[in-house]
Each structure stands twice: as C-alpha cells, then as structure tokens.
C-alpha cells in the first residue's frame, strides 16, 4: 500500500510503502512425541508454533532454523514447506505473512524454552491446547491433513 508522509523540514509529501512483514513458523514434529508449541511470554498470549520475523539479509530458511533454535533450543532440519499464510488479520499486532515449514530434530529431549517463550513442550497433534495464538489452529489443521495424506507440502528449495 502506498502512502504519503509529510516531511517535517520542507512540508513536501514523501511517498512511503507499507508492506506485510515476512515471518516464519516452524512445525517441529517428532512422530513419537508430537509437535512443539511454545507458551508466549508476551502479547498475543497463548500457545504458538515457534517462529518470528525474518531479518534483513536472511533467507526464510535461515530464519526458520534460527527462530526454532532461539525459542526451543532445538536444531532442526526443514523437511517440507506446508504453505504461506497471509491473512491481514492473522497477527493482531500488524499485517504479516508467514512461510510455514515442517521440521524434524535429532535431539527432541533437548527442548527448552528460550527467547520470547515462557514454556515449550511437545503436544500430540490430536490434543492441542485451545488457546492457540495467531492463525496457528488453522495451520495445525492443515498439518494434520498433511499427516493423513490429504494435503500436499512442497520441497524445501533453499538453504538453512
């Protein structure tokens, strides 16, 4: 969306652009344990997939691996791209779009809350908490459909 701001020095209209902020969410899945959810320590409160904003100069794959580690202490391997979610109302703080990955970890026992996570735990996909933040209930519905073979996922094409 293009907008104009007024320059405080000369009074001219300065054209600016407002775009959705790129984010990533990671479904860390271990068949014997379930999926990782964090309990958010800041608003919006509730349970969420690990994830966050993509930094300048960073690929979405790098951001996914970084955010997964920062919030869970887990090193992950990105296995598949579940989808891109961009509903303008998905994040109450601002318009974001999220690239959502399915990932695995070789050391699931090392799960520990970090960064902006008050807690982190494994949850069975069929028994998730009701107070999921953002649009993560929808994303996890799509993930369960993928587990049942009812939804496709794409290959990860970039590097983490």
């Amino acid at each position: 969306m293009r907008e104009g701001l007024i320059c405080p020095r000369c009074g001219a209209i300065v054209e600016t652009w407002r775009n959705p902020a790129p984010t990533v969410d990671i479904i860390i899945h271990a068949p014997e344990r379930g999926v990782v959810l964090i309990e958010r320590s800041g608003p919006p409160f509730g349970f969420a997939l690990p994830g966050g904003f993509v930094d300048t100069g960073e690929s979405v794959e790098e951001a996914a691996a970084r955010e997964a580690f920062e919030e869970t202490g887990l090193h992950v391997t990105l296995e598949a791209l579940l989808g891109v979610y961009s509903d303008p109302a998905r994040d109450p703080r601002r318009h974001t779009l999220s690239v959502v990955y399915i990932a695995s970890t070789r050391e699931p026992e090392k799960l520990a809350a970090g960064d902006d996570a008050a807690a982190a735990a494994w949850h069975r996909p069929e028994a998730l908490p009701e107070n999921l933040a953002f649009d993560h209930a929808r994303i996890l519905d799509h993930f369960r459909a993928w587990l049942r073979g009812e939804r496709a996922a794409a290959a990860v094409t970039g590097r983490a």
Side-chain angles (χ1 to χ4, degrees):
M1 173 186 298
R2 194 164 54 174
E3 294 184 342
L5 298 175
I6 300 198
C7 175
R9 289 187 177 224
C10 69
I13 294 178
V14 179
E15 190 174 57
T16 60
W17 293 86
R18 285 189 11 192
N19 298 325
T23 66
V24 292
D25 289 302
I26 309 94
I27 301 169
I28 304 170
H29 178 241
E32 68 284 356
R33 293 176 186 251
V35 297
V36 173
L37 294 178
I38 62 160
E39 189 168 0
R40 291 182 50 80
S41 61
F45 294 103
F47 291 91
L49 294 166
F53 292 93
V54 178
D55 290 340
T56 299
E58 182 177 53
S59 72
V60 290
E61 295 85 5
E62 291 166 336
R66 175 184 53 77
E67 286 288 348
F69 183 74
E70 287 177 0
E71 293 189 358
T72 70
L74 297 174
H75 293 283
V76 298
T77 300
L78 303 179
E79 304 289 348
L81 171 66
L82 184 65
V84 176
Y85 296 78
S86 62
D87 181 338
R90 71 176 304 274
D91 186 333
R93 300 169 298 179
R94 68 183 289 192
H95 184 181
T96 63
L97 65 87
S98 185
V99 179
V100 179
Y101 289 99
I102 300 166
S104 62
T105 182
R106 290 184 181 193
E107 301 174 310
E109 70 283 353
K110 291 192 174 182
L111 177 62
D115 200 16
D116 56 353
W122 292 97
H123 294 263
R124 302 297 313 159
E126 64 279 1
L128 299 172
E130 289 190 22
N131 58 335
L132 290 169
F134 311 109
D135 58 352
H136 292 184
R138 179 176 182 237
I139 291 169
L140 287 162
D141 282 345
H142 292 171
F143 172 70
R144 286 192 297 268
W146 176 78
L147 285 175
R148 294 188 304 266
E150 298 168 0
R151 182 182 174 98
V156 176
T157 57
R159 292 182 297 152

